[in-house]
PDB file of all heavy atoms in Angstrom:
ATOM      1  N   GLY A 225     -22.995   7.947  27.586  1.00  0.00           N
ATOM      2  CA  GLY A 225     -24.070   8.628  28.593  1.00  0.00           C
ATOM      3  C   GLY A 225     -23.668   9.865  29.075  1.00  0.00           C
ATOM      4  O   GLY A 225     -24.427  10.639  29.669  1.00  0.00           O
ATOM      5  N   PRO A 227     -21.328  13.108  31.074  1.00  0.00           N
ATOM      6  CA  PRO A 227     -21.092  13.272  32.559  1.00  0.00           C
ATOM      7  C   PRO A 227     -22.269  13.173  33.330  1.00  0.00           C
ATOM      8  O   PRO A 227     -22.222  13.063  34.594  1.00  0.00           O
ATOM      9  CB  PRO A 227     -20.572  14.682  32.595  1.00  0.00           C
ATOM     10  CG  PRO A 227     -20.904  15.330  31.286  1.00  0.00           C
ATOM     11  CD  PRO A 227     -21.120  14.155  30.224  1.00  0.00           C
ATOM     12  N   PHE A 228     -23.485  13.342  32.825  1.00  0.00           N
ATOM     13  CA  PHE A 228     -24.800  13.370  33.666  1.00  0.00           C
ATOM     14  C   PHE A 228     -25.640  12.022  33.556  1.00  0.00           C
ATOM     15  O   PHE A 228     -26.703  12.083  33.716  1.00  0.00           O
ATOM     16  CB  PHE A 228     -25.570  14.632  33.275  1.00  0.00           C
ATOM     17  CG  PHE A 228     -24.699  15.869  33.320  1.00  0.00           C
ATOM     18  CD1 PHE A 228     -24.768  16.761  32.252  1.00  0.00           C
ATOM     19  CD2 PHE A 228     -23.796  16.102  34.333  1.00  0.00           C
ATOM     20  CE1 PHE A 228     -24.081  17.942  32.161  1.00  0.00           C
ATOM     21  CE2 PHE A 228     -23.056  17.360  34.340  1.00  0.00           C
ATOM     22  CZ  PHE A 228     -23.264  18.133  33.278  1.00  0.00           C
ATOM     23  N   THR A 231     -27.065  11.660  36.818  1.00  0.00           N
ATOM     24  CA  THR A 231     -27.506  12.884  37.462  1.00  0.00           C
ATOM     25  C   THR A 231     -29.056  12.917  37.449  1.00  0.00           C
ATOM     26  O   THR A 231     -29.630  12.604  36.409  1.00  0.00           O
ATOM     27  CB  THR A 231     -26.907  14.148  36.831  1.00  0.00           C
ATOM     28  OG1 THR A 231     -25.458  13.937  36.726  1.00  0.00           O
ATOM     29  CG2 THR A 231     -27.421  15.354  37.546  1.00  0.00           C
ATOM     30  N   ALA A 233     -32.738  14.367  37.109  1.00  0.00           N
ATOM     31  CA  ALA A 233     -33.039  15.431  36.157  1.00  0.00           C
ATOM     32  C   ALA A 233     -33.430  16.785  37.052  1.00  0.00           C
ATOM     33  O   ALA A 233     -33.318  17.757  36.541  1.00  0.00           O
ATOM     34  CB  ALA A 233     -34.411  14.956  35.406  1.00  0.00           C
ATOM     35  N   GLU A 235     -31.624  18.133  39.106  1.00  0.00           N
ATOM     36  CA  GLU A 235     -30.489  18.908  39.172  1.00  0.00           C
ATOM     37  C   GLU A 235     -30.016  19.510  37.894  1.00  0.00           C
ATOM     38  O   GLU A 235     -28.946  20.364  37.879  1.00  0.00           O
ATOM     39  CB  GLU A 235     -29.362  17.908  39.734  1.00  0.00           C
ATOM     40  CG  GLU A 235     -29.548  17.426  41.076  1.00  0.00           C
ATOM     41  CD  GLU A 235     -28.454  16.406  41.478  1.00  0.00           C
ATOM     42  OE1 GLU A 235     -27.348  16.449  41.049  1.00  0.00           O
ATOM     43  OE2 GLU A 235     -28.959  15.312  42.078  1.00  0.00           O
ATOM     44  N   PHE A 236     -30.601  19.328  36.739  1.00  0.00           N
ATOM     45  CA  PHE A 236     -30.221  19.712  35.492  1.00  0.00           C
ATOM     46  C   PHE A 236     -30.097  21.240  35.290  1.00  0.00           C
ATOM     47  O   PHE A 236     -29.314  21.806  34.722  1.00  0.00           O
ATOM     48  CB  PHE A 236     -31.105  19.126  34.430  1.00  0.00           C
ATOM     49  CG  PHE A 236     -30.820  17.763  33.911  1.00  0.00           C
ATOM     50  CD1 PHE A 236     -31.637  17.170  33.043  1.00  0.00           C
ATOM     51  CD2 PHE A 236     -29.794  17.006  34.600  1.00  0.00           C
ATOM     52  CE1 PHE A 236     -31.480  15.838  32.571  1.00  0.00           C
ATOM     53  CE2 PHE A 236     -29.676  15.727  34.322  1.00  0.00           C
ATOM     54  CZ  PHE A 236     -30.474  15.124  33.244  1.00  0.00           C
ATOM     55  N   ASP A 237     -31.020  21.911  36.034  1.00  0.00           N
ATOM     56  CA  ASP A 237     -31.127  23.407  35.933  1.00  0.00           C
ATOM     57  C   ASP A 237     -29.948  24.128  36.360  1.00  0.00           C
ATOM     58  O   ASP A 237     -29.459  25.113  35.882  1.00  0.00           O
ATOM     59  CB  ASP A 237     -32.384  23.957  36.757  1.00  0.00           C
ATOM     60  CG  ASP A 237     -33.526  24.124  35.920  1.00  0.00           C
ATOM     61  OD1 ASP A 237     -33.477  24.369  34.741  1.00  0.00           O
ATOM     62  OD2 ASP A 237     -34.737  23.916  36.435  1.00  0.00           O
ATOM     63  N   ASP A 238     -29.214  23.407  37.348  1.00  0.00           N
ATOM     64  CA  ASP A 238     -28.019  24.095  38.033  1.00  0.00           C
ATOM     65  C   ASP A 238     -26.754  23.616  37.416  1.00  0.00           C
ATOM     66  O   ASP A 238     -25.731  24.090  37.886  1.00  0.00           O
ATOM     67  CB  ASP A 238     -28.020  23.816  39.488  1.00  0.00           C
ATOM     68  CG  ASP A 238     -29.347  24.377  40.088  1.00  0.00           C
ATOM     69  OD1 ASP A 238     -29.785  25.480  39.819  1.00  0.00           O
ATOM     70  OD2 ASP A 238     -29.851  23.631  41.027  1.00  0.00           O
ATOM     71  N   LEU A 239     -26.784  22.894  36.368  1.00  0.00           N
ATOM     72  CA  LEU A 239     -25.574  22.277  35.765  1.00  0.00           C
ATOM     73  C   LEU A 239     -24.789  23.335  35.137  1.00  0.00           C
ATOM     74  O   LEU A 239     -25.234  24.254  34.401  1.00  0.00           O
ATOM     75  CB  LEU A 239     -25.751  21.122  34.872  1.00  0.00           C
ATOM     76  CG  LEU A 239     -26.418  19.905  35.514  1.00  0.00           C
ATOM     77  CD1 LEU A 239     -26.799  18.809  34.488  1.00  0.00           C
ATOM     78  CD2 LEU A 239     -25.349  19.269  36.557  1.00  0.00           C
ATOM     79  N   THR A 240     -23.392  23.398  35.275  1.00  0.00           N
ATOM     80  CA  THR A 240     -22.520  24.449  34.589  1.00  0.00           C
ATOM     81  C   THR A 240     -21.906  23.885  33.480  1.00  0.00           C
ATOM     82  O   THR A 240     -21.683  22.754  33.242  1.00  0.00           O
ATOM     83  CB  THR A 240     -21.500  25.006  35.698  1.00  0.00           C
ATOM     84  OG1 THR A 240     -20.728  23.823  35.889  1.00  0.00           O
ATOM     85  CG2 THR A 240     -22.130  25.427  36.966  1.00  0.00           C
ATOM     86  N   PRO A 241     -21.329  24.933  32.677  1.00  0.00           N
ATOM     87  CA  PRO A 241     -20.572  24.555  31.505  1.00  0.00           C
ATOM     88  C   PRO A 241     -19.319  23.674  31.921  1.00  0.00           C
ATOM     89  O   PRO A 241     -18.986  22.594  31.234  1.00  0.00           O
ATOM     90  CB  PRO A 241     -20.149  25.810  30.817  1.00  0.00           C
ATOM     91  CG  PRO A 241     -21.148  26.782  31.121  1.00  0.00           C
ATOM     92  CD  PRO A 241     -21.643  26.368  32.521  1.00  0.00           C
ATOM     93  N   GLU A 243     -19.050  21.635  34.364  1.00  0.00           N
ATOM     94  CA  GLU A 243     -19.427  20.319  34.721  1.00  0.00           C
ATOM     95  C   GLU A 243     -19.761  19.484  33.437  1.00  0.00           C
ATOM     96  O   GLU A 243     -19.432  18.325  33.291  1.00  0.00           O
ATOM     97  CB  GLU A 243     -20.755  20.232  35.580  1.00  0.00           C
ATOM     98  CG  GLU A 243     -20.302  20.822  37.011  1.00  0.00           C
ATOM     99  CD  GLU A 243     -21.632  20.934  37.839  1.00  0.00           C
ATOM    100  OE1 GLU A 243     -22.518  21.743  37.399  1.00  0.00           O
ATOM    101  OE2 GLU A 243     -21.701  20.609  38.965  1.00  0.00           O
ATOM    102  N   ALA A 244     -20.442  20.234  32.540  1.00  0.00           N
ATOM    103  CA  ALA A 244     -20.843  19.490  31.235  1.00  0.00           C
ATOM    104  C   ALA A 244     -19.572  19.138  30.347  1.00  0.00           C
ATOM    105  O   ALA A 244     -19.651  18.264  29.552  1.00  0.00           O
ATOM    106  CB  ALA A 244     -21.830  20.401  30.441  1.00  0.00           C
ATOM    107  N   LEU A 245     -18.490  19.989  30.472  1.00  0.00           N
ATOM    108  CA  LEU A 245     -17.310  19.831  29.752  1.00  0.00           C
ATOM    109  C   LEU A 245     -16.457  18.639  30.188  1.00  0.00           C
ATOM    110  O   LEU A 245     -15.402  18.330  29.706  1.00  0.00           O
ATOM    111  CB  LEU A 245     -16.495  21.083  29.582  1.00  0.00           C
ATOM    112  CG  LEU A 245     -17.186  22.142  28.635  1.00  0.00           C
ATOM    113  CD1 LEU A 245     -16.486  23.496  28.875  1.00  0.00           C
ATOM    114  CD2 LEU A 245     -17.083  21.650  27.171  1.00  0.00           C
ATOM    115  N   THR A 257     -18.477  17.836  23.138  1.00  0.00           N
ATOM    116  CA  THR A 257     -18.500  17.341  24.549  1.00  0.00           C
ATOM    117  C   THR A 257     -19.941  17.776  25.156  1.00  0.00           C
ATOM    118  O   THR A 257     -20.451  16.948  25.968  1.00  0.00           O
ATOM    119  CB  THR A 257     -17.378  18.072  25.332  1.00  0.00           C
ATOM    120  OG1 THR A 257     -16.176  17.600  24.590  1.00  0.00           O
ATOM    121  CG2 THR A 257     -17.292  17.426  26.774  1.00  0.00           C
ATOM    122  N   ILE A 258     -20.367  18.986  24.808  1.00  0.00           N
ATOM    123  CA  ILE A 258     -21.747  19.412  25.456  1.00  0.00           C
ATOM    124  C   ILE A 258     -22.750  18.528  24.694  1.00  0.00           C
ATOM    125  O   ILE A 258     -23.675  18.056  25.383  1.00  0.00           O
ATOM    126  CB  ILE A 258     -22.027  20.844  25.029  1.00  0.00           C
ATOM    127  CG1 ILE A 258     -20.886  21.783  25.779  1.00  0.00           C
ATOM    128  CG2 ILE A 258     -23.418  21.247  25.632  1.00  0.00           C
ATOM    129  CD1 ILE A 258     -20.870  21.701  27.314  1.00  0.00           C
ATOM    130  N   ASP A 259     -22.606  18.253  23.449  1.00  0.00           N
ATOM    131  CA  ASP A 259     -23.553  17.323  22.798  1.00  0.00           C
ATOM    132  C   ASP A 259     -23.551  15.969  23.359  1.00  0.00           C
ATOM    133  O   ASP A 259     -24.648  15.231  23.395  1.00  0.00           O
ATOM    134  CB  ASP A 259     -23.183  17.213  21.226  1.00  0.00           C
ATOM    135  CG  ASP A 259     -23.523  18.398  20.460  1.00  0.00           C
ATOM    136  OD1 ASP A 259     -24.327  19.313  20.990  1.00  0.00           O
ATOM    137  OD2 ASP A 259     -23.105  18.540  19.298  1.00  0.00           O
ATOM    138  N   SER A 260     -22.455  15.475  23.935  1.00  0.00           N
ATOM    139  CA  SER A 260     -22.392  14.145  24.537  1.00  0.00           C
ATOM    140  C   SER A 260     -23.227  14.274  25.884  1.00  0.00           C
ATOM    141  O   SER A 260     -23.721  13.279  26.452  1.00  0.00           O
ATOM    142  CB  SER A 260     -21.008  13.817  24.853  1.00  0.00           C
ATOM    143  OG  SER A 260     -20.227  13.702  23.590  1.00  0.00           O
ATOM    144  N   ALA A 261     -23.109  15.383  26.502  1.00  0.00           N
ATOM    145  CA  ALA A 261     -23.701  15.527  27.821  1.00  0.00           C
ATOM    146  C   ALA A 261     -25.293  15.668  27.596  1.00  0.00           C
ATOM    147  O   ALA A 261     -26.045  15.184  28.526  1.00  0.00           O
ATOM    148  CB  ALA A 261     -23.322  16.877  28.484  1.00  0.00           C
ATOM    149  N   THR A 262     -25.799  16.234  26.519  1.00  0.00           N
ATOM    150  CA  THR A 262     -27.255  16.355  26.326  1.00  0.00           C
ATOM    151  C   THR A 262     -27.767  15.122  25.636  1.00  0.00           C
ATOM    152  O   THR A 262     -28.972  14.852  25.541  1.00  0.00           O
ATOM    153  CB  THR A 262     -27.637  17.558  25.370  1.00  0.00           C
ATOM    154  OG1 THR A 262     -26.899  17.370  24.190  1.00  0.00           O
ATOM    155  CG2 THR A 262     -27.262  18.940  26.038  1.00  0.00           C
ATOM    156  N   LEU A 263     -26.746  14.362  25.009  1.00  0.00           N
ATOM    157  CA  LEU A 263     -27.099  13.070  24.105  1.00  0.00           C
ATOM    158  C   LEU A 263     -27.533  13.588  22.725  1.00  0.00           C
ATOM    159  O   LEU A 263     -27.844  12.775  21.833  1.00  0.00           O
ATOM    160  CB  LEU A 263     -28.093  12.150  24.666  1.00  0.00           C
ATOM    161  CG  LEU A 263     -27.777  11.461  25.952  1.00  0.00           C
ATOM    162  CD1 LEU A 263     -28.674  10.258  26.168  1.00  0.00           C
ATOM    163  CD2 LEU A 263     -26.367  10.912  25.968  1.00  0.00           C
ATOM    164  N   PHE A 264     -27.418  14.906  22.370  1.00  0.00           N
ATOM    165  CA  PHE A 264     -27.619  15.335  21.057  1.00  0.00           C
ATOM    166  C   PHE A 264     -26.530  14.727  20.263  1.00  0.00           C
ATOM    167  O   PHE A 264     -26.805  14.489  18.899  1.00  0.00           O
ATOM    168  CB  PHE A 264     -27.590  16.808  20.887  1.00  0.00           C
ATOM    169  CG  PHE A 264     -28.938  17.571  20.945  1.00  0.00           C
ATOM    170  CD1 PHE A 264     -29.436  18.289  21.823  1.00  0.00           C
ATOM    171  CD2 PHE A 264     -29.796  17.153  19.861  1.00  0.00           C
ATOM    172  CE1 PHE A 264     -30.737  18.755  21.928  1.00  0.00           C
ATOM    173  CE2 PHE A 264     -31.190  17.667  19.896  1.00  0.00           C
ATOM    174  CZ  PHE A 264     -31.612  18.474  20.884  1.00  0.00           C
ATOM    175  N   ASP A 352     -35.618  11.928  30.390  1.00  0.00           N
ATOM    176  CA  ASP A 352     -34.756  12.856  30.866  1.00  0.00           C
ATOM    177  C   ASP A 352     -33.789  13.582  29.938  1.00  0.00           C
ATOM    178  O   ASP A 352     -33.352  14.703  30.093  1.00  0.00           O
ATOM    179  CB  ASP A 352     -33.774  12.404  32.075  1.00  0.00           C
ATOM    180  CG  ASP A 352     -34.719  11.941  33.312  1.00  0.00           C
ATOM    181  OD1 ASP A 352     -35.904  12.459  33.364  1.00  0.00           O
ATOM    182  OD2 ASP A 352     -34.242  11.131  34.095  1.00  0.00           O
ATOM    183  N   PHE A 353     -33.543  12.822  28.792  1.00  0.00           N
ATOM    184  CA  PHE A 353     -32.720  13.364  27.786  1.00  0.00           C
ATOM    185  C   PHE A 353     -33.357  13.362  26.487  1.00  0.00           C
ATOM    186  O   PHE A 353     -33.286  12.451  25.650  1.00  0.00           O
ATOM    187  CB  PHE A 353     -31.386  12.441  27.598  1.00  0.00           C
ATOM    188  CG  PHE A 353     -30.481  12.550  28.890  1.00  0.00           C
ATOM    189  CD1 PHE A 353     -30.641  11.582  29.834  1.00  0.00           C
ATOM    190  CD2 PHE A 353     -29.504  13.570  28.925  1.00  0.00           C
ATOM    191  CE1 PHE A 353     -29.748  11.819  30.984  1.00  0.00           C
ATOM    192  CE2 PHE A 353     -28.583  13.550  30.076  1.00  0.00           C
ATOM    193  CZ  PHE A 353     -28.936  12.797  31.006  1.00  0.00           C
ATOM    194  N   PRO A 354     -34.299  14.327  26.132  1.00  0.00           N
ATOM    195  CA  PRO A 354     -35.182  14.429  24.996  1.00  0.00           C
ATOM    196  C   PRO A 354     -34.434  14.486  23.713  1.00  0.00           C
ATOM    197  O   PRO A 354     -35.038  14.209  22.685  1.00  0.00           O
ATOM    198  CB  PRO A 354     -35.938  15.670  25.243  1.00  0.00           C
ATOM    199  CG  PRO A 354     -35.736  16.076  26.653  1.00  0.00           C
ATOM    200  CD  PRO A 354     -34.462  15.511  26.991  1.00  0.00           C
ATOM    201  N   ALA A 380     -27.985  26.818  20.634  1.00  0.00           N
ATOM    202  CA  ALA A 380     -28.259  26.737  22.101  1.00  0.00           C
ATOM    203  C   ALA A 380     -26.978  26.250  22.883  1.00  0.00           C
ATOM    204  O   ALA A 380     -26.783  26.739  23.949  1.00  0.00           O
ATOM    205  CB  ALA A 380     -29.370  25.581  22.169  1.00  0.00           C
ATOM    206  N   VAL A 381     -26.128  25.528  22.204  1.00  0.00           N
ATOM    207  CA  VAL A 381     -24.817  25.021  22.981  1.00  0.00           C
ATOM    208  C   VAL A 381     -24.078  26.260  23.164  1.00  0.00           C
ATOM    209  O   VAL A 381     -23.463  26.438  24.326  1.00  0.00           O
ATOM    210  CB  VAL A 381     -24.171  23.961  22.097  1.00  0.00           C
ATOM    211  CG1 VAL A 381     -22.808  23.647  22.590  1.00  0.00           C
ATOM    212  CG2 VAL A 381     -24.939  22.649  22.085  1.00  0.00           C
ATOM    213  N   ALA A 383     -24.883  29.352  23.501  1.00  0.00           N
ATOM    214  CA  ALA A 383     -25.551  30.119  24.527  1.00  0.00           C
ATOM    215  C   ALA A 383     -25.337  29.479  25.989  1.00  0.00           C
ATOM    216  O   ALA A 383     -25.125  30.252  26.870  1.00  0.00           O
ATOM    217  CB  ALA A 383     -27.059  30.354  24.362  1.00  0.00           C
ATOM    218  N   PHE A 384     -25.387  28.163  26.131  1.00  0.00           N
ATOM    219  CA  PHE A 384     -25.187  27.550  27.370  1.00  0.00           C
ATOM    220  C   PHE A 384     -23.629  27.776  27.678  1.00  0.00           C
ATOM    221  O   PHE A 384     -23.343  28.049  28.936  1.00  0.00           O
ATOM    222  CB  PHE A 384     -25.487  25.993  27.240  1.00  0.00           C
ATOM    223  CG  PHE A 384     -25.081  25.249  28.413  1.00  0.00           C
ATOM    224  CD1 PHE A 384     -25.705  25.376  29.627  1.00  0.00           C
ATOM    225  CD2 PHE A 384     -23.959  24.279  28.241  1.00  0.00           C
ATOM    226  CE1 PHE A 384     -25.304  24.664  30.751  1.00  0.00           C
ATOM    227  CE2 PHE A 384     -23.543  23.608  29.383  1.00  0.00           C
ATOM    228  CZ  PHE A 384     -24.175  23.689  30.664  1.00  0.00           C
ATOM    229  N   GLN A 388     -25.702  31.893  29.149  1.00  0.00           N
ATOM    230  CA  GLN A 388     -26.825  32.732  28.900  1.00  0.00           C
ATOM    231  C   GLN A 388     -28.136  31.881  29.227  1.00  0.00           C
ATOM    232  O   GLN A 388     -29.186  32.444  29.559  1.00  0.00           O
ATOM    233  CB  GLN A 388     -26.914  33.168  27.427  1.00  0.00           C
ATOM    234  CG  GLN A 388     -25.864  34.136  27.090  1.00  0.00           C
ATOM    235  CD  GLN A 388     -26.095  34.646  25.710  1.00  0.00           C
ATOM    236  OE1 GLN A 388     -27.140  35.114  25.306  1.00  0.00           O
ATOM    237  NE2 GLN A 388     -24.986  34.432  24.819  1.00  0.00           N
ATOM    238  N   VAL A 389     -28.096  30.623  28.936  1.00  0.00           N
ATOM    239  CA  VAL A 389     -29.169  29.639  29.211  1.00  0.00           C
ATOM    240  C   VAL A 389     -28.735  28.505  30.000  1.00  0.00           C
ATOM    241  O   VAL A 389     -27.638  28.114  30.110  1.00  0.00           O
ATOM    242  CB  VAL A 389     -29.911  29.267  27.861  1.00  0.00           C
ATOM    243  CG1 VAL A 389     -30.302  30.457  27.073  1.00  0.00           C
ATOM    244  CG2 VAL A 389     -28.910  28.338  27.002  1.00  0.00           C
ATOM    245  N   SER A 390     -29.810  27.829  30.609  1.00  0.00           N
ATOM    246  CA  SER A 390     -29.565  26.727  31.389  1.00  0.00           C
ATOM    247  C   SER A 390     -29.279  25.455  30.499  1.00  0.00           C
ATOM    248  O   SER A 390     -29.560  25.433  29.326  1.00  0.00           O
ATOM    249  CB  SER A 390     -30.659  26.389  32.360  1.00  0.00           C
ATOM    250  OG  SER A 390     -31.850  25.908  31.605  1.00  0.00           O
ATOM    251  N   PHE A 391     -28.801  24.275  31.128  1.00  0.00           N
ATOM    252  CA  PHE A 391     -28.572  23.043  30.447  1.00  0.00           C
ATOM    253  C   PHE A 391     -29.853  22.589  29.728  1.00  0.00           C
ATOM    254  O   PHE A 391     -29.806  22.299  28.599  1.00  0.00           O
ATOM    255  CB  PHE A 391     -27.969  22.043  31.473  1.00  0.00           C
ATOM    256  CG  PHE A 391     -27.557  20.735  30.817  1.00  0.00           C
ATOM    257  CD1 PHE A 391     -26.509  20.662  29.902  1.00  0.00           C
ATOM    258  CD2 PHE A 391     -28.189  19.495  31.261  1.00  0.00           C
ATOM    259  CE1 PHE A 391     -26.106  19.522  29.382  1.00  0.00           C
ATOM    260  CE2 PHE A 391     -27.929  18.390  30.613  1.00  0.00           C
ATOM    261  CZ  PHE A 391     -26.840  18.379  29.725  1.00  0.00           C
ATOM    262  N   PRO A 392     -30.995  22.469  30.599  1.00  0.00           N
ATOM    263  CA  PRO A 392     -32.191  21.951  29.851  1.00  0.00           C
ATOM    264  C   PRO A 392     -32.707  22.850  28.749  1.00  0.00           C
ATOM    265  O   PRO A 392     -33.402  22.445  27.774  1.00  0.00           O
ATOM    266  CB  PRO A 392     -33.210  21.820  31.034  1.00  0.00           C
ATOM    267  CG  PRO A 392     -32.574  21.955  32.211  1.00  0.00           C
ATOM    268  CD  PRO A 392     -31.114  22.739  31.919  1.00  0.00           C
ATOM    269  N   SER A 393     -32.361  24.091  28.785  1.00  0.00           N
ATOM    270  CA  SER A 393     -32.760  25.049  27.809  1.00  0.00           C
ATOM    271  C   SER A 393     -32.240  24.611  26.409  1.00  0.00           C
ATOM    272  O   SER A 393     -32.798  24.997  25.331  1.00  0.00           O
ATOM    273  CB  SER A 393     -32.342  26.519  28.005  1.00  0.00           C
ATOM    274  OG  SER A 393     -32.774  27.043  29.235  1.00  0.00           O
ATOM    275  N   ILE A 394     -31.121  23.832  26.329  1.00  0.00           N
ATOM    276  CA  ILE A 394     -30.518  23.437  25.134  1.00  0.00           C
ATOM    277  C   ILE A 394     -31.600  22.626  24.292  1.00  0.00           C
ATOM    278  O   ILE A 394     -31.984  22.965  23.169  1.00  0.00           O
ATOM    279  CB  ILE A 394     -29.308  22.564  25.273  1.00  0.00           C
ATOM    280  CG1 ILE A 394     -28.219  23.381  25.917  1.00  0.00           C
ATOM    281  CG2 ILE A 394     -28.792  21.990  23.940  1.00  0.00           C
ATOM    282  CD1 ILE A 394     -26.805  22.703  26.263  1.00  0.00           C
ATOM    283  N   TRP A 395     -32.230  21.598  24.891  1.00  0.00           N
ATOM    284  CA  TRP A 395     -33.145  20.791  24.190  1.00  0.00           C
ATOM    285  C   TRP A 395     -34.533  21.629  23.988  1.00  0.00           C
ATOM    286  O   TRP A 395     -35.302  21.341  23.027  1.00  0.00           O
ATOM    287  CB  TRP A 395     -33.333  19.338  24.587  1.00  0.00           C
ATOM    288  CG  TRP A 395     -33.622  19.221  26.117  1.00  0.00           C
ATOM    289  CD1 TRP A 395     -34.874  19.345  26.671  1.00  0.00           C
ATOM    290  CD2 TRP A 395     -32.759  18.866  27.254  1.00  0.00           C
ATOM    291  NE1 TRP A 395     -34.767  19.131  28.042  1.00  0.00           N
ATOM    292  CE2 TRP A 395     -33.465  18.856  28.350  1.00  0.00           C
ATOM    293  CE3 TRP A 395     -31.421  18.604  27.189  1.00  0.00           C
ATOM    294  CZ2 TRP A 395     -32.980  18.488  29.510  1.00  0.00           C
ATOM    295  CZ3 TRP A 395     -30.871  18.268  28.337  1.00  0.00           C
ATOM    296  CH2 TRP A 395     -31.632  18.229  29.543  1.00  0.00           C
ATOM    297  N   GLN A 396     -34.885  22.391  25.029  1.00  0.00           N
ATOM    298  CA  GLN A 396     -36.200  23.225  25.023  1.00  0.00           C
ATOM    299  C   GLN A 396     -35.968  24.172  23.664  1.00  0.00           C
ATOM    300  O   GLN A 396     -37.013  24.378  22.844  1.00  0.00           O
ATOM    301  CB  GLN A 396     -36.429  24.088  26.175  1.00  0.00           C
ATOM    302  CG  GLN A 396     -36.873  23.177  27.428  1.00  0.00           C
ATOM    303  CD  GLN A 396     -36.466  23.796  28.733  1.00  0.00           C
ATOM    304  OE1 GLN A 396     -36.081  24.943  28.790  1.00  0.00           O
ATOM    305  NE2 GLN A 396     -36.687  22.941  29.690  1.00  0.00           N
ATOM    306  N   ILE A 397     -34.931  24.821  23.532  1.00  0.00           N
ATOM    307  CA  ILE A 397     -34.769  25.678  22.336  1.00  0.00           C
ATOM    308  C   ILE A 397     -34.763  24.947  21.063  1.00  0.00           C
ATOM    309  O   ILE A 397     -35.650  25.168  20.023  1.00  0.00           O
ATOM    310  CB  ILE A 397     -33.360  26.389  22.445  1.00  0.00           C
ATOM    311  CG1 ILE A 397     -33.473  27.391  23.530  1.00  0.00           C
ATOM    312  CG2 ILE A 397     -33.015  27.161  21.034  1.00  0.00           C
ATOM    313  CD1 ILE A 397     -31.972  28.028  23.945  1.00  0.00           C
ATOM    314  N   ARG A 436     -31.012  34.094  31.399  1.00  0.00           N
ATOM    315  CA  ARG A 436     -30.900  33.929  32.833  1.00  0.00           C
ATOM    316  C   ARG A 436     -30.879  35.336  33.423  1.00  0.00           C
ATOM    317  O   ARG A 436     -30.069  36.253  32.895  1.00  0.00           O
ATOM    318  CB  ARG A 436     -29.888  33.083  33.368  1.00  0.00           C
ATOM    319  CG  ARG A 436     -29.954  31.738  32.829  1.00  0.00           C
ATOM    320  CD  ARG A 436     -28.933  30.880  33.306  1.00  0.00           C
ATOM    321  NE  ARG A 436     -29.459  29.575  33.564  1.00  0.00           N
ATOM    322  CZ  ARG A 436     -28.825  28.669  34.385  1.00  0.00           C
ATOM    323  NH1 ARG A 436     -27.732  28.985  35.014  1.00  0.00           N
ATOM    324  NH2 ARG A 436     -29.385  27.479  34.565  1.00  0.00           N
TER     325      ARG A 436
END
Side-chain angles (χ1 to χ4, degrees):
F228 308 133
T231 306
E235 294 172 40
F236 282 179
D237 267 332
D238 299 324
L239 295 173
T240 64
E243 288 168 311
L245 284 169
T257 306
I258 301 299
D259 284 347
S260 299
T262 57
L263 294 195
F264 263 114
D352 293 338
F353 293 91
V381 169
F384 170 68
Q388 296 184 51
V389 298
S390 69
F391 184 67
S393 297
I394 297 176
W395 54 78
Q396 287 156 8
I397 291 168
R436 298 177 143 202

